[in-house]
Amino acid sequence: MGFDKISLKGRALRLLAGREHSRAELEKKLAPHEQEPGEVQRALDELQAKGFISEQRVVESVIHRRSARLGAGRVKQELQAKGVSAEAVAEAVDRLRGTETERAREVWRKKFGEPAADAAGRAKQMRFLASRGFGAEAIRRVVRGADDD
């Protein structure tokens, strides 16, 4: 009987104790437990007013956890999937673009460590970095300039 009787706010707080969640994520996770229309919205409004739900903390959390391994493109996708506002996503992507080449170089160094021997090898390295969401310019700089270090 226990878990069914937990309030929506209680469920939301349990989710937030594990990691930062956006309001959209919480709405999706709590919707199946709503007993009357608007109940989830009221609970989340109250938690947001008290500072338990923060879009900025969600953005910072994703950047902190993911930016060392992923390019701005993939971080952008993750933030959009979490329902973060377009303005906050754009701001985060702008911040990440400034360090895109350095982060791509570090990911490349850990994975490959040395320049590719031929065009096929360079293409493989470029595809790998692209799959991690790094931009074309950063990828070109890293793969072509790998021997400049």
Side-chain angles (χ1 to χ4, degrees):
M1 186 166 173
F3 196 68
D4 289 340
K5 293 296 176 191
I6 295 174
S7 71
L8 289 172
K9 278 195 297 193
R11 287 178 189 275
L13 288 170
R14 277 190 176 179
L15 291 167
L16 289 165
R19 71 165 171 83
E20 295 292 340
H21 285 71
S22 68
R23 186 178 174 114
E25 287 178 298
L26 291 171
E27 286 172 4
K28 191 185 314 180
K29 289 180 178 186
L30 296 176
H33 305 286
E34 185 173 59
Q35 313 246 305
E36 59 185 68
E39 191 178 20
V40 168
Q41 294 303 321
R42 284 190 301 276
L44 294 181
D45 286 345
E46 193 174 319
L47 290 173
Q48 196 161 2
K50 291 180 178 177
F52 287 104
I53 300 171
S54 164
E55 183 174 79
Q56 189 56 41
R57 285 197 313 265
V58 171
V59 170
E60 294 304 322
S61 172
V62 169
I63 288 175
H64 177 74
R65 285 183 295 112
R66 310 292 274 162
S67 67
R69 295 186 310 279
L70 300 176
R74 281 277 297 277
V75 172
K76 177 182 179 180
Q77 285 177 339
E78 195 165 315
L79 290 171
Q80 288 171 330
K82 289 180 178 301
V84 172
S85 74
E87 302 83 51
V89 170
E91 188 180 304
V93 168
D94 284 345
R95 281 178 35 205
L96 289 172
R97 293 238 191 268
T99 60
E100 187 90 340
T101 302
E102 296 84 50
R103 290 180 299 106
R105 184 171 287 120
E106 187 57 24
V107 169
W108 173 88
R109 190 189 59 71
K110 286 179 180 173
K111 175 78 173 175
F112 301 105
E114 58 186 38
D118 56 16
R122 280 191 298 281
K124 177 182 177 183
Q125 292 181 0
M126 291 173 114
R127 281 192 308 273
F128 172 77
L129 291 172
S131 75
R132 290 290 184 95
F134 290 103
E137 184 59 32
I139 292 171
R140 269 194 298 282
R141 284 189 179 147
V142 170
V143 174
R144 296 236 163 81
D147 37 18
D148 299 346
D149 284 348

